[in-house]
Amino acid sequence: MTETTGITPVKDTVIDRYISIYDRTAYEPEALKELESIFAPDATVELADGMPPATGLPAIMAVYEHLAKGMADSKHFWTVTELDDGRLECHWIQAARGTDGRLIGQSGIEQATVNADGQITHLVNRFVPVVGWV
């Protein structure tokens, strides 16, 4: 089991690159194009319960374009662990500002299957409650 801890812009695993790029999309819309290199052409992304999975690069990019439009700023902290079966597991927390000025905090656990080319073929996110210091 291998573990990396990241704050933007650490770039050790495909998940580190994914989160670093995602944070940049809030203020650098052209960074969205870089996400295309992170996912395999036929990848599937499941970001939230009740949200249908996005399969294939056009559908995945549409999801991330929609999310980026609502963000004015974003900052993640995360830890990535390589599981014994080769999947990557990422525990993350995000602080963000919406384009409407709202401040949000959210956290989750993502698991990613990665192909031989280092691209994500399947990404599943599960939101978890934000944990405080007390």
Side-chain angles (χ1 to χ4, degrees):
M1 187 177 326
T2 305
E3 184 172 284
T4 65
T5 301
I7 53 173
T8 307
V10 174
K11 296 182 179 181
D12 295 324
T13 71
V14 69
I15 296 292
D16 295 308
R17 291 189 303 278
Y18 161 69
I19 293 174
S20 296
I21 292 168
Y22 182 79
D23 277 347
R24 287 180 30 231
T25 66
Y27 57 88
E28 191 180 317
E30 60 273 14
L32 278 168
K33 281 295 209 187
E34 292 178 48
L35 281 178
E36 291 179 3
S37 67
I38 297 297
F39 295 100
D42 59 348
T44 299
V45 172
E46 300 176 53
L47 289 183
D49 287 340
M51 183 178 181
T55 300
L57 222 44
I60 291 168
M61 294 309 298
V63 167
Y64 287 102
E65 286 171 18
H66 175 74
L67 293 172
K69 285 180 185 175
M71 289 190 314
D73 199 9
S74 175
K75 179 70 171 176
H76 280 81
F77 294 88
W78 67 94
T79 301
V80 177
T81 302
E82 184 176 350
L83 303 175
D84 292 336
D85 64 5
R87 287 177 301 143
L88 298 175
E89 183 172 88
C90 177
H91 292 245
W92 60 269
I93 188 164
Q94 176 193 27
R97 180 185 332 273
T99 53
D100 62 1
R102 285 183 302 143
L103 299 176
I104 65 138
Q106 57 186 6
S107 64
I109 300 171
E110 291 182 329
Q111 290 189 343
T113 303
V114 180
N115 66 17
D117 294 327
Q119 295 175 309
I120 296 170
T121 58
H122 191 202
L123 178 76
V124 177
N125 179 67
R126 178 174 50 91
F127 286 102
V128 297
V130 175
V131 178
W133 291 109
V134 289

